[in-house]
Amino acid sequence: DRIRYDTPRFAGFGLAVDHQNDDDWGVGASYGASIGGVKISAQLGYQNSQQSTADEATRTIGSLSILLPMGLSLTGAAGERSANSGTVDDSSKFRYGKVGYQFKGSELGQTRLFVEWHEVKDLVVLGDETTTFGFGVVQIVEPLGAELVLVYHNIDLDLANGAPSDDIDALTAGIRLSF
């Protein structure tokens, strides 16, 4: 069970707090505005979880996105998870970056192109590192209220023990319909 309160937005700023079972709790702050045609969105969050009396985990995550009037967008995010299971200190980190460009490519609607990068360290095993690189296109089909999506990702896993691992290449195609 969870209870959450979101404050009304004031000058683009908002706060949220929540409490869950097992004394888990979190707090978040957000900001969103359009300044001189530049759209800005930022979030920062903190969560404290108590899985049991010996286990505790905290997460701190932040992101910033900017959309320029010409259609260029930039997004960056980072976060850290710290966990302590009594005898082992488990911490993991992630970083994410994305550059996008949106324009009216056809009569169907807006076309969105993007390139993204994502790195995760020590998520499962201390010393493991996963790096993902991707790019894609989203075509808005306004008459149907749909989005056509085509995305490629390359996922590289470097194992802490030095064992070889093959890259994973993934191609995703999809459609999202809004009713």
Side-chain angles (χ1 to χ4, degrees), residues 38-41 64-68 71-76 98 100:
V38 177
K39 293 182 181 179
I40 301 170
S41 177
L64 173 66
S65 295
I66 298 171
L67 174 60
L68 302 175
L72 181 66
S73 63
L74 305 168
T75 295
K98 181 177 181 179

Side-chain angles (χ1 to χ4, degrees), residues 1-88:
D1 294 325
R2 175 180 170 191
I3 185 168
R4 175 176 163 159
Y5 175 73
D6 291 66
T7 66
R9 288 195 141 331
F10 179 73
F13 290 95
L15 292 173
V17 294
D18 74 74
H19 188 273
Q20 304 168 39
N21 290 345
D22 300 323
D23 282 334
D24 293 357
W25 60 273
V27 61
S30 63
Y31 175 76
S34 184
I35 303 169
V38 177
K39 293 182 181 179
I40 301 170
S41 177
Q43 289 81 33
L44 182 62
Y46 177 83
Q47 180 184 17
N48 185 299
S49 298
Q50 301 262 340
Q51 288 91 18
S52 71
T53 56
D55 295 339
E56 180 178 351
T58 61
R59 290 174 185 83
T60 306
I61 299 172
S63 68
L64 173 66
S65 295
I66 298 171
L67 174 60
L68 302 175
M70 70 181 93
L72 181 66
S73 63
L74 305 168
T75 295
E80 180 174 276
R81 176 185 171 273
S82 298
N84 188 340
S85 59
T87 57
V88 177

